Amino acid sequence: MTNTPRGRRVLASASIAAAAAIILAGCAGGIAGGGGSDADESGPIKLGLLAPFSGSESVFGEYMQNGAQLAVDEINSDGGVNGRELELVAEDDACDATASVAAANKLVAAGIEGSVGGYCSGATLPTLPIFSEAGIPMVIPAANSNKLVEAGLDNVFLINGTGTQQAAATLEYALKVGATRVAVLNDNTDYSKDLAVSFVEQAEEDGTLEVVLDQSVTPGEKDYSANVNNVMSSNPDFVVWTGYYQEGALITRQLVDAGYDGPILVGDGSVDRKFAEIAGEGYTDNVVATFTQTPDMLEGAGDWIGDYEEAFGSEPGPYSTQSYDAVRVMAEAMTDAGSTDTDAVIEALRGLDGFPIFSGPLTFTPEGTLSEGGFAIVSIDADGTFVLKDDLQS
């Protein structure tokens, strides 16, 4: 979304089991601060936001914090939740698994009663057992790896489409443009590998496309000629890249230089203005991406954009709307529950039926995911920004 990624920067993460061990060492004193039945029902309701405020994805942390704060301010101006004001408490997870564990423990110790953050899947995964043990419901606005769902925790809800749903949008578009032979590349991180595996599985099940190459690359390299040669040798008419913009832009440039002139579809981790900057002028004409729609792509979002700009002096970017909605969804559930009791809030989240958010009426599946993924196809404009190309609705 804007013009920079969803990219959820997903790094190779510590396992949930390892994170649980860290909790035992550093989190015991914070559990009572969560949203359990013994939570203090006076004072502000603290909502925790983990997001990247440092590192390569830091721009998204600002978008997420601003979007969440805008919702907090609006709800407070209308009387708060159950007579209590909301308070947003943000911590930097740096899109890093180790940093996210420390940041999550800080939020628990601060007494948050709900979590409304999570951008990088690899940084969000290790926080799941921390918030689960502390009795804190999670409404995750951006991170969407299937591993978040596979953890099977009843306090976890995603308001971004899952990797499975994003892969389905990728397949839908490939079929729509008449692709027959598809090469798939990933960077072997949690998010990228998960998305690639899901796409290949769905493509093979559909049976219309032939996956002629399914390969991982080494992130951080400058020369991807070996991978590019493998792509060219497989003779595809459609290329799918599921990793991040740094490598994706280099691979795109090298593919075009090698003579490939077909469509290249990248995942939301590559939706960043820097993609075009790194690839270079003339190299992104055939590049599209799967992405949830940003505010500028949404019909009727003008007033919200104006409110955001007035509050923060800048335009909203990717995941600002999702973070805004994460706060609203959590507040609605707490209102319906009549308290911040963990079990009551979780039950209320599961009971939401058609609650209005930017991506459409929200009803959670039994797994805590969106009933519909909400992904669209975006292309790269002349200034390097990503703009809506196909909403996949027709």
PDB file of all heavy atoms in Angstrom, residues 6-10 50 64 93 117-125 128 138-146 148-149 156-163 191 268 319 322:
ATOM      1  N   ARG A   6       3.989  -3.959   2.298  1.00  0.00           N
ATOM      2  CA  ARG A   6       3.393  -4.689   3.360  1.00  0.00           C
ATOM      3  C   ARG A   6       4.441  -5.389   4.012  1.00  0.00           C
ATOM      4  O   ARG A   6       4.531  -6.169   4.686  1.00  0.00           O
ATOM      5  CB  ARG A   6       2.748  -5.893   2.986  1.00  0.00           C
ATOM      6  CG  ARG A   6       2.935  -6.940   4.156  1.00  0.00           C
ATOM      7  CD  ARG A   6       2.365  -8.089   3.899  1.00  0.00           C
ATOM      8  NE  ARG A   6       1.869  -8.698   4.810  1.00  0.00           N
ATOM      9  CZ  ARG A   6       1.652  -9.474   5.179  1.00  0.00           C
ATOM     10  NH1 ARG A   6       1.821  -9.822   4.744  1.00  0.00           N
ATOM     11  NH2 ARG A   6       1.265 -10.015   5.985  1.00  0.00           N
ATOM     12  N   GLY A   7       4.586  -5.039   2.999  1.00  0.00           N
ATOM     13  CA  GLY A   7       5.452  -5.988   3.225  1.00  0.00           C
ATOM     14  C   GLY A   7       5.634  -6.073   4.628  1.00  0.00           C
ATOM     15  O   GLY A   7       5.973  -5.220   5.309  1.00  0.00           O
ATOM     16  N   ARG A   8       5.401  -7.176   5.099  1.00  0.00           N
ATOM     17  CA  ARG A   8       5.805  -7.502   6.437  1.00  0.00           C
ATOM     18  C   ARG A   8       7.184  -7.983   6.283  1.00  0.00           C
ATOM     19  O   ARG A   8       7.438  -8.969   5.651  1.00  0.00           O
ATOM     20  CB  ARG A   8       5.023  -8.685   6.956  1.00  0.00           C
ATOM     21  CG  ARG A   8       3.634  -8.328   7.149  1.00  0.00           C
ATOM     22  CD  ARG A   8       2.846  -9.554   7.115  1.00  0.00           C
ATOM     23  NE  ARG A   8       2.022  -9.517   5.976  1.00  0.00           N
ATOM     24  CZ  ARG A   8       2.439  -9.804   4.803  1.00  0.00           C
ATOM     25  NH1 ARG A   8       3.586 -10.221   4.577  1.00  0.00           N
ATOM     26  NH2 ARG A   8       1.641  -9.719   3.800  1.00  0.00           N
ATOM     27  N   ARG A   9       8.114  -7.344   6.844  1.00  0.00           N
ATOM     28  CA  ARG A   9       9.464  -7.846   6.728  1.00  0.00           C
ATOM     29  C   ARG A   9       9.536  -9.046   7.626  1.00  0.00           C
ATOM     30  O   ARG A   9       9.527  -8.933   8.820  1.00  0.00           O
ATOM     31  CB  ARG A   9      10.431  -6.781   7.186  1.00  0.00           C
ATOM     32  CG  ARG A   9      11.835  -7.296   7.272  1.00  0.00           C
ATOM     33  CD  ARG A   9      12.509  -7.273   5.922  1.00  0.00           C
ATOM     34  NE  ARG A   9      13.867  -7.630   6.038  1.00  0.00           N
ATOM     35  CZ  ARG A   9      14.613  -7.928   5.000  1.00  0.00           C
ATOM     36  NH1 ARG A   9      14.104  -7.898   3.803  1.00  0.00           N
ATOM     37  NH2 ARG A   9      15.859  -8.234   5.160  1.00  0.00           N
ATOM     38  N   VAL A  10       9.529 -10.246   7.067  1.00  0.00           N
ATOM     39  CA  VAL A  10       9.535 -11.426   7.895  1.00  0.00           C
ATOM     40  C   VAL A  10      10.917 -12.019   7.896  1.00  0.00           C
ATOM     41  O   VAL A  10      11.416 -12.418   6.875  1.00  0.00           O
ATOM     42  CB  VAL A  10       8.563 -12.471   7.357  1.00  0.00           C
ATOM     43  CG1 VAL A  10       8.545 -13.658   8.261  1.00  0.00           C
ATOM     44  CG2 VAL A  10       7.199 -11.874   7.264  1.00  0.00           C
ATOM     45  N   LEU A  50       3.083  -3.583  18.866  1.00  0.00           N
ATOM     46  CA  LEU A  50       4.431  -3.938  18.437  1.00  0.00           C
ATOM     47  C   LEU A  50       4.539  -3.660  16.947  1.00  0.00           C
ATOM     48  O   LEU A  50       3.714  -4.114  16.156  1.00  0.00           O
ATOM     49  CB  LEU A  50       4.715  -5.418  18.696  1.00  0.00           C
ATOM     50  CG  LEU A  50       4.920  -5.858  20.139  1.00  0.00           C
ATOM     51  CD1 LEU A  50       5.214  -7.349  20.196  1.00  0.00           C
ATOM     52  CD2 LEU A  50       6.044  -5.073  20.797  1.00  0.00           C
ATOM     53  N   MET A  64       1.640   2.542  11.209  1.00  0.00           N
ATOM     54  CA  MET A  64       0.801   1.724  12.075  1.00  0.00           C
ATOM     55  C   MET A  64       0.455   2.456  13.364  1.00  0.00           C
ATOM     56  O   MET A  64      -0.691   2.454  13.810  1.00  0.00           O
ATOM     57  CB  MET A  64       1.502   0.395  12.376  1.00  0.00           C
ATOM     58  CG  MET A  64       1.620  -0.515  11.158  1.00  0.00           C
ATOM     59  SD  MET A  64       2.625  -1.975  11.480  1.00  0.00           S
ATOM     60  CE  MET A  64       1.570  -2.865  12.644  1.00  0.00           C
ATOM     61  N   ASP A  93       9.677  -3.571  17.702  1.00  0.00           N
ATOM     62  CA  ASP A  93      10.134  -4.956  17.550  1.00  0.00           C
ATOM     63  C   ASP A  93      11.199  -5.087  16.456  1.00  0.00           C
ATOM     64  O   ASP A  93      11.773  -6.155  16.264  1.00  0.00           O
ATOM     65  CB  ASP A  93       8.964  -5.900  17.274  1.00  0.00           C
ATOM     66  CG  ASP A  93       8.299  -5.688  15.914  1.00  0.00           C
ATOM     67  OD1 ASP A  93       8.873  -5.013  15.044  1.00  0.00           O
ATOM     68  OD2 ASP A  93       7.192  -6.230  15.722  1.00  0.00           O
ATOM     69  N   GLY A 117      -0.857  -4.943  17.450  1.00  0.00           N
ATOM     70  CA  GLY A 117       0.299  -4.787  16.575  1.00  0.00           C
ATOM     71  C   GLY A 117       0.659  -6.085  15.884  1.00  0.00           C
ATOM     72  O   GLY A 117      -0.047  -7.083  15.977  1.00  0.00           O
ATOM     73  N   GLY A 118       1.785  -6.030  15.171  1.00  0.00           N
ATOM     74  CA  GLY A 118       2.287  -7.187  14.443  1.00  0.00           C
ATOM     75  C   GLY A 118       2.400  -6.906  12.969  1.00  0.00           C
ATOM     76  O   GLY A 118       1.408  -6.927  12.245  1.00  0.00           O
ATOM     77  N   TYR A 119       3.623  -6.599  12.522  1.00  0.00           N
ATOM     78  CA  TYR A 119       3.865  -6.310  11.098  1.00  0.00           C
ATOM     79  C   TYR A 119       4.620  -7.448  10.428  1.00  0.00           C
ATOM     80  O   TYR A 119       4.174  -8.017   9.452  1.00  0.00           O
ATOM     81  CB  TYR A 119       4.628  -4.997  10.956  1.00  0.00           C
ATOM     82  CG  TYR A 119       5.089  -4.702   9.548  1.00  0.00           C
ATOM     83  CD1 TYR A 119       4.185  -4.260   8.587  1.00  0.00           C
ATOM     84  CD2 TYR A 119       6.416  -4.870   9.178  1.00  0.00           C
ATOM     85  CE1 TYR A 119       4.593  -4.002   7.288  1.00  0.00           C
ATOM     86  CE2 TYR A 119       6.829  -4.604   7.880  1.00  0.00           C
ATOM     87  CZ  TYR A 119       5.920  -4.175   6.938  1.00  0.00           C
ATOM     88  OH  TYR A 119       6.328  -3.919   5.656  1.00  0.00           O
ATOM     89  N   CYS A 120       5.795  -7.786  10.937  1.00  0.00           N
ATOM     90  CA  CYS A 120       6.587  -8.887  10.380  1.00  0.00           C
ATOM     91  C   CYS A 120       6.154 -10.200  11.003  1.00  0.00           C
ATOM     92  O   CYS A 120       6.111 -10.325  12.224  1.00  0.00           O
ATOM     93  CB  CYS A 120       8.072  -8.680  10.662  1.00  0.00           C
ATOM     94  SG  CYS A 120       8.731  -7.170   9.965  1.00  0.00           S
ATOM     95  N   SER A 121       5.873 -11.169  10.184  1.00  0.00           N
ATOM     96  CA  SER A 121       5.442 -12.456  10.723  1.00  0.00           C
ATOM     97  C   SER A 121       6.539 -13.109  11.550  1.00  0.00           C
ATOM     98  O   SER A 121       6.268 -13.693  12.603  1.00  0.00           O
ATOM     99  CB  SER A 121       5.018 -13.387   9.583  1.00  0.00           C
ATOM    100  OG  SER A 121       3.877 -12.909   8.927  1.00  0.00           O
ATOM    101  N   GLY A 122       7.781 -13.018  11.080  1.00  0.00           N
ATOM    102  CA  GLY A 122       8.872 -13.637  11.810  1.00  0.00           C
ATOM    103  C   GLY A 122       9.116 -13.005  13.159  1.00  0.00           C
ATOM    104  O   GLY A 122       9.633 -13.654  14.071  1.00  0.00           O
ATOM    105  N   ALA A 123       8.749 -11.740  13.324  1.00  0.00           N
ATOM    106  CA  ALA A 123       8.865 -11.069  14.621  1.00  0.00           C
ATOM    107  C   ALA A 123       7.602 -11.245  15.454  1.00  0.00           C
ATOM    108  O   ALA A 123       7.652 -11.159  16.682  1.00  0.00           O
ATOM    109  CB  ALA A 123       9.143  -9.579  14.413  1.00  0.00           C
ATOM    110  N   THR A 124       6.482 -11.500  14.812  1.00  0.00           N
ATOM    111  CA  THR A 124       5.229 -11.666  15.533  1.00  0.00           C
ATOM    112  C   THR A 124       5.086 -13.071  16.112  1.00  0.00           C
ATOM    113  O   THR A 124       4.570 -13.252  17.222  1.00  0.00           O
ATOM    114  CB  THR A 124       4.034 -11.353  14.610  1.00  0.00           C
ATOM    115  OG1 THR A 124       4.190 -10.028  14.067  1.00  0.00           O
ATOM    116  CG2 THR A 124       2.716 -11.424  15.349  1.00  0.00           C
ATOM    117  N   LEU A 125       5.549 -14.080  15.386  1.00  0.00           N
ATOM    118  CA  LEU A 125       5.417 -15.465  15.835  1.00  0.00           C
ATOM    119  C   LEU A 125       5.933 -15.698  17.256  1.00  0.00           C
ATOM    120  O   LEU A 125       5.235 -16.313  18.071  1.00  0.00           O
ATOM    121  CB  LEU A 125       6.132 -16.396  14.851  1.00  0.00           C
ATOM    122  CG  LEU A 125       5.343 -16.794  13.602  1.00  0.00           C
ATOM    123  CD1 LEU A 125       6.273 -17.364  12.546  1.00  0.00           C
ATOM    124  CD2 LEU A 125       4.275 -17.821  13.967  1.00  0.00           C
ATOM    125  N   LEU A 128       3.554 -14.777  20.258  1.00  0.00           N
ATOM    126  CA  LEU A 128       2.271 -15.433  20.488  1.00  0.00           C
ATOM    127  C   LEU A 128       2.191 -16.099  21.861  1.00  0.00           C
ATOM    128  O   LEU A 128       1.206 -15.896  22.586  1.00  0.00           O
ATOM    129  CB  LEU A 128       1.973 -16.457  19.384  1.00  0.00           C
ATOM    130  CG  LEU A 128       1.874 -15.951  17.937  1.00  0.00           C
ATOM    131  CD1 LEU A 128       1.325 -17.056  17.043  1.00  0.00           C
ATOM    132  CD2 LEU A 128       1.012 -14.717  17.820  1.00  0.00           C
ATOM    133  N   MET A 138      -5.159 -10.825  20.915  1.00  0.00           N
ATOM    134  CA  MET A 138      -4.368 -10.197  19.859  1.00  0.00           C
ATOM    135  C   MET A 138      -5.219 -10.001  18.612  1.00  0.00           C
ATOM    136  O   MET A 138      -5.811 -10.948  18.106  1.00  0.00           O
ATOM    137  CB  MET A 138      -3.157 -11.068  19.502  1.00  0.00           C
ATOM    138  CG  MET A 138      -2.218 -11.388  20.643  1.00  0.00           C
ATOM    139  SD  MET A 138      -0.867 -12.501  20.124  1.00  0.00           S
ATOM    140  CE  MET A 138       0.073 -11.428  19.009  1.00  0.00           C
ATOM    141  N   VAL A 139      -5.251  -8.761  18.116  1.00  0.00           N
ATOM    142  CA  VAL A 139      -5.806  -8.484  16.797  1.00  0.00           C
ATOM    143  C   VAL A 139      -4.633  -7.980  15.961  1.00  0.00           C
ATOM    144  O   VAL A 139      -4.159  -6.861  16.151  1.00  0.00           O
ATOM    145  CB  VAL A 139      -6.941  -7.444  16.848  1.00  0.00           C
ATOM    146  CG1 VAL A 139      -7.428  -7.127  15.439  1.00  0.00           C
ATOM    147  CG2 VAL A 139      -8.101  -7.977  17.688  1.00  0.00           C
ATOM    148  N   ILE A 140      -4.148  -8.822  15.065  1.00  0.00           N
ATOM    149  CA  ILE A 140      -2.918  -8.549  14.313  1.00  0.00           C
ATOM    150  C   ILE A 140      -3.271  -7.846  13.007  1.00  0.00           C
ATOM    151  O   ILE A 140      -3.998  -8.403  12.176  1.00  0.00           O
ATOM    152  CB  ILE A 140      -2.157  -9.854  14.032  1.00  0.00           C
ATOM    153  CG1 ILE A 140      -1.805 -10.546  15.352  1.00  0.00           C
ATOM    154  CG2 ILE A 140      -0.899  -9.584  13.215  1.00  0.00           C
ATOM    155  CD1 ILE A 140      -1.196 -11.934  15.179  1.00  0.00           C
ATOM    156  N   PRO A 141      -2.753  -6.643  12.764  1.00  0.00           N
ATOM    157  CA  PRO A 141      -3.172  -5.874  11.591  1.00  0.00           C
ATOM    158  C   PRO A 141      -2.447  -6.202  10.289  1.00  0.00           C
ATOM    159  O   PRO A 141      -3.001  -5.991   9.213  1.00  0.00           O
ATOM    160  CB  PRO A 141      -2.875  -4.428  12.000  1.00  0.00           C
ATOM    161  CG  PRO A 141      -1.729  -4.546  12.964  1.00  0.00           C
ATOM    162  CD  PRO A 141      -1.945  -5.836  13.702  1.00  0.00           C
ATOM    163  N   ALA A 142      -1.205  -6.692  10.350  1.00  0.00           N
ATOM    164  CA  ALA A 142      -0.427  -6.818   9.121  1.00  0.00           C
ATOM    165  C   ALA A 142       0.158  -8.211   8.922  1.00  0.00           C
ATOM    166  O   ALA A 142      -0.018  -8.818   7.869  1.00  0.00           O
ATOM    167  CB  ALA A 142       0.700  -5.786   9.100  1.00  0.00           C
ATOM    168  N   ALA A 143       0.894  -8.734   9.891  1.00  0.00           N
ATOM    169  CA  ALA A 143       1.528 -10.050   9.756  1.00  0.00           C
ATOM    170  C   ALA A 143       0.473 -11.080   9.370  1.00  0.00           C
ATOM    171  O   ALA A 143      -0.631 -11.083   9.906  1.00  0.00           O
ATOM    172  CB  ALA A 143       2.212 -10.434  11.064  1.00  0.00           C
ATOM    173  N   ASN A 144       0.822 -11.987   8.442  1.00  0.00           N
ATOM    174  CA  ASN A 144      -0.221 -12.898   7.957  1.00  0.00           C
ATOM    175  C   ASN A 144       0.289 -14.280   7.584  1.00  0.00           C
ATOM    176  O   ASN A 144      -0.388 -15.020   6.873  1.00  0.00           O
ATOM    177  CB  ASN A 144      -0.942 -12.275   6.751  1.00  0.00           C
ATOM    178  CG  ASN A 144      -0.087 -12.275   5.486  1.00  0.00           C
ATOM    179  OD1 ASN A 144       1.132 -12.415   5.537  1.00  0.00           O
ATOM    180  ND2 ASN A 144      -0.724 -12.096   4.340  1.00  0.00           N
ATOM    181  N   SER A 145       1.474 -14.665   8.062  1.00  0.00           N
ATOM    182  CA  SER A 145       1.964 -16.000   7.761  1.00  0.00           C
ATOM    183  C   SER A 145       0.981 -17.052   8.263  1.00  0.00           C
ATOM    184  O   SER A 145       0.379 -16.915   9.336  1.00  0.00           O
ATOM    185  CB  SER A 145       3.320 -16.222   8.432  1.00  0.00           C
ATOM    186  OG  SER A 145       3.702 -17.591   8.373  1.00  0.00           O
ATOM    187  N   ASN A 146       0.837 -18.122   7.502  1.00  0.00           N
ATOM    188  CA  ASN A 146      -0.024 -19.220   7.935  1.00  0.00           C
ATOM    189  C   ASN A 146       0.431 -19.816   9.258  1.00  0.00           C
ATOM    190  O   ASN A 146      -0.361 -20.421   9.983  1.00  0.00           O
ATOM    191  CB  ASN A 146      -0.055 -20.312   6.868  1.00  0.00           C
ATOM    192  CG  ASN A 146      -0.841 -19.891   5.638  1.00  0.00           C
ATOM    193  OD1 ASN A 146      -1.823 -19.169   5.735  1.00  0.00           O
ATOM    194  ND2 ASN A 146      -0.400 -20.327   4.474  1.00  0.00           N
ATOM    195  N   LEU A 148       1.109 -18.277  11.891  1.00  0.00           N
ATOM    196  CA  LEU A 148       0.387 -17.598  12.968  1.00  0.00           C
ATOM    197  C   LEU A 148      -0.925 -18.319  13.264  1.00  0.00           C
ATOM    198  O   LEU A 148      -1.356 -18.403  14.416  1.00  0.00           O
ATOM    199  CB  LEU A 148       0.107 -16.146  12.587  1.00  0.00           C
ATOM    200  CG  LEU A 148       1.320 -15.244  12.372  1.00  0.00           C
ATOM    201  CD1 LEU A 148       0.897 -13.951  11.686  1.00  0.00           C
ATOM    202  CD2 LEU A 148       2.018 -14.944  13.682  1.00  0.00           C
ATOM    203  N   VAL A 149      -1.542 -18.830  12.229  1.00  0.00           N
ATOM    204  CA  VAL A 149      -2.795 -19.559  12.372  1.00  0.00           C
ATOM    205  C   VAL A 149      -2.525 -20.979  12.871  1.00  0.00           C
ATOM    206  O   VAL A 149      -3.230 -21.500  13.738  1.00  0.00           O
ATOM    207  CB  VAL A 149      -3.554 -19.597  11.033  1.00  0.00           C
ATOM    208  CG1 VAL A 149      -4.892 -20.321  11.184  1.00  0.00           C
ATOM    209  CG2 VAL A 149      -3.769 -18.188  10.500  1.00  0.00           C
ATOM    210  N   VAL A 156      -5.656 -15.334  19.177  1.00  0.00           N
ATOM    211  CA  VAL A 156      -5.014 -14.710  18.012  1.00  0.00           C
ATOM    212  C   VAL A 156      -6.024 -14.522  16.881  1.00  0.00           C
ATOM    213  O   VAL A 156      -6.653 -15.488  16.423  1.00  0.00           O
ATOM    214  CB  VAL A 156      -3.832 -15.565  17.529  1.00  0.00           C
ATOM    215  CG1 VAL A 156      -3.226 -14.960  16.264  1.00  0.00           C
ATOM    216  CG2 VAL A 156      -2.776 -15.678  18.626  1.00  0.00           C
ATOM    217  N   PHE A 157      -6.140 -13.271  16.405  1.00  0.00           N
ATOM    218  CA  PHE A 157      -7.038 -12.931  15.303  1.00  0.00           C
ATOM    219  C   PHE A 157      -6.282 -12.076  14.293  1.00  0.00           C
ATOM    220  O   PHE A 157      -5.536 -11.166  14.668  1.00  0.00           O
ATOM    221  CB  PHE A 157      -8.261 -12.165  15.823  1.00  0.00           C
ATOM    222  CG  PHE A 157      -9.109 -12.959  16.777  1.00  0.00           C
ATOM    223  CD1 PHE A 157      -8.771 -13.040  18.122  1.00  0.00           C
ATOM    224  CD2 PHE A 157     -10.230 -13.628  16.327  1.00  0.00           C
ATOM    225  CE1 PHE A 157      -9.538 -13.782  19.014  1.00  0.00           C
ATOM    226  CE2 PHE A 157     -11.010 -14.375  17.208  1.00  0.00           C
ATOM    227  CZ  PHE A 157     -10.662 -14.450  18.553  1.00  0.00           C
ATOM    228  N   LEU A 158      -6.460 -12.359  13.010  1.00  0.00           N
ATOM    229  CA  LEU A 158      -5.780 -11.636  11.943  1.00  0.00           C
ATOM    230  C   LEU A 158      -6.794 -10.844  11.124  1.00  0.00           C
ATOM    231  O   LEU A 158      -7.800 -11.410  10.687  1.00  0.00           O
ATOM    232  CB  LEU A 158      -5.039 -12.596  11.008  1.00  0.00           C
ATOM    233  CG  LEU A 158      -3.693 -13.162  11.437  1.00  0.00           C
ATOM    234  CD1 LEU A 158      -3.827 -14.052  12.668  1.00  0.00           C
ATOM    235  CD2 LEU A 158      -3.059 -13.969  10.302  1.00  0.00           C
ATOM    236  N   ILE A 159      -6.504  -9.550  10.895  1.00  0.00           N
ATOM    237  CA  ILE A 159      -7.398  -8.772  10.028  1.00  0.00           C
ATOM    238  C   ILE A 159      -6.739  -8.432   8.697  1.00  0.00           C
ATOM    239  O   ILE A 159      -7.273  -7.641   7.921  1.00  0.00           O
ATOM    240  CB  ILE A 159      -7.937  -7.499  10.713  1.00  0.00           C
ATOM    241  CG1 ILE A 159      -6.821  -6.537  11.088  1.00  0.00           C
ATOM    242  CG2 ILE A 159      -8.756  -7.858  11.936  1.00  0.00           C
ATOM    243  CD1 ILE A 159      -7.357  -5.177  11.512  1.00  0.00           C
ATOM    244  N   ASN A 160      -5.587  -9.046   8.422  1.00  0.00           N
ATOM    245  CA  ASN A 160      -5.011  -9.031   7.086  1.00  0.00           C
ATOM    246  C   ASN A 160      -5.227 -10.434   6.522  1.00  0.00           C
ATOM    247  O   ASN A 160      -5.277 -11.408   7.276  1.00  0.00           O
ATOM    248  CB  ASN A 160      -3.522  -8.692   7.145  1.00  0.00           C
ATOM    249  CG  ASN A 160      -2.944  -8.394   5.771  1.00  0.00           C
ATOM    250  OD1 ASN A 160      -3.668  -8.159   4.805  1.00  0.00           O
ATOM    251  ND2 ASN A 160      -1.632  -8.392   5.675  1.00  0.00           N
ATOM    252  N   GLY A 161      -5.366 -10.548   5.217  1.00  0.00           N
ATOM    253  CA  GLY A 161      -5.537 -11.863   4.626  1.00  0.00           C
ATOM    254  C   GLY A 161      -4.332 -12.748   4.896  1.00  0.00           C
ATOM    255  O   GLY A 161      -3.203 -12.280   5.018  1.00  0.00           O
ATOM    256  N   THR A 162      -4.541 -14.044   4.977  1.00  0.00           N
ATOM    257  CA  THR A 162      -3.454 -14.984   5.243  1.00  0.00           C
ATOM    258  C   THR A 162      -2.619 -15.226   3.991  1.00  0.00           C
ATOM    259  O   THR A 162      -2.990 -14.832   2.881  1.00  0.00           O
ATOM    260  CB  THR A 162      -4.019 -16.327   5.715  1.00  0.00           C
ATOM    261  OG1 THR A 162      -4.797 -16.909   4.646  1.00  0.00           O
ATOM    262  CG2 THR A 162      -4.880 -16.161   6.949  1.00  0.00           C
ATOM    263  N   GLY A 163      -1.499 -15.921   4.189  1.00  0.00           N
ATOM    264  CA  GLY A 163      -0.673 -16.296   3.054  1.00  0.00           C
ATOM    265  C   GLY A 163      -1.437 -17.154   2.062  1.00  0.00           C
ATOM    266  O   GLY A 163      -1.247 -17.040   0.841  1.00  0.00           O
ATOM    267  N   TYR A 191       7.811 -15.773   5.859  1.00  0.00           N
ATOM    268  CA  TYR A 191       6.728 -15.223   5.042  1.00  0.00           C
ATOM    269  C   TYR A 191       6.859 -15.637   3.582  1.00  0.00           C
ATOM    270  O   TYR A 191       5.912 -16.130   2.956  1.00  0.00           O
ATOM    271  CB  TYR A 191       6.726 -13.695   5.182  1.00  0.00           C
ATOM    272  CG  TYR A 191       6.158 -12.948   3.999  1.00  0.00           C
ATOM    273  CD1 TYR A 191       4.797 -12.984   3.715  1.00  0.00           C
ATOM    274  CD2 TYR A 191       6.989 -12.208   3.159  1.00  0.00           C
ATOM    275  CE1 TYR A 191       4.281 -12.289   2.636  1.00  0.00           C
ATOM    276  CE2 TYR A 191       6.480 -11.526   2.080  1.00  0.00           C
ATOM    277  CZ  TYR A 191       5.123 -11.573   1.813  1.00  0.00           C
ATOM    278  OH  TYR A 191       4.617 -10.894   0.744  1.00  0.00           O
ATOM    279  N   ASP A 268       3.497  -8.863  -1.288  1.00  0.00           N
ATOM    280  CA  ASP A 268       3.363  -7.546  -0.678  1.00  0.00           C
ATOM    281  C   ASP A 268       4.629  -7.095   0.034  1.00  0.00           C
ATOM    282  O   ASP A 268       4.809  -5.910   0.298  1.00  0.00           O
ATOM    283  CB  ASP A 268       2.155  -7.495   0.245  1.00  0.00           C
ATOM    284  CG  ASP A 268       2.198  -8.549   1.338  1.00  0.00           C
ATOM    285  OD1 ASP A 268       3.116  -9.383   1.358  1.00  0.00           O
ATOM    286  OD2 ASP A 268       1.298  -8.540   2.200  1.00  0.00           O
ATOM    287  N   TYR A 319      -0.740  -0.139   5.928  1.00  0.00           N
ATOM    288  CA  TYR A 319      -1.061  -0.678   7.249  1.00  0.00           C
ATOM    289  C   TYR A 319      -1.504   0.365   8.256  1.00  0.00           C
ATOM    290  O   TYR A 319      -1.722   0.049   9.412  1.00  0.00           O
ATOM    291  CB  TYR A 319       0.068  -1.559   7.774  1.00  0.00           C
ATOM    292  CG  TYR A 319       0.279  -2.679   6.805  1.00  0.00           C
ATOM    293  CD1 TYR A 319       1.325  -2.651   5.912  1.00  0.00           C
ATOM    294  CD2 TYR A 319      -0.655  -3.699   6.704  1.00  0.00           C
ATOM    295  CE1 TYR A 319       1.463  -3.640   4.957  1.00  0.00           C
ATOM    296  CE2 TYR A 319      -0.527  -4.692   5.750  1.00  0.00           C
ATOM    297  CZ  TYR A 319       0.526  -4.664   4.871  1.00  0.00           C
ATOM    298  OH  TYR A 319       0.651  -5.635   3.910  1.00  0.00           O
ATOM    299  N   GLN A 322      -5.233  -0.707   8.472  1.00  0.00           N
ATOM    300  CA  GLN A 322      -5.383  -1.972   9.189  1.00  0.00           C
ATOM    301  C   GLN A 322      -5.153  -1.785  10.689  1.00  0.00           C
ATOM    302  O   GLN A 322      -5.836  -2.403  11.516  1.00  0.00           O
ATOM    303  CB  GLN A 322      -4.414  -3.016   8.635  1.00  0.00           C
ATOM    304  CG  GLN A 322      -4.782  -3.540   7.259  1.00  0.00           C
ATOM    305  CD  GLN A 322      -4.181  -2.725   6.137  1.00  0.00           C
ATOM    306  OE1 GLN A 322      -3.820  -1.559   6.325  1.00  0.00           O
ATOM    307  NE2 GLN A 322      -4.067  -3.321   4.974  1.00  0.00           N
TER     308      GLN A 322
END
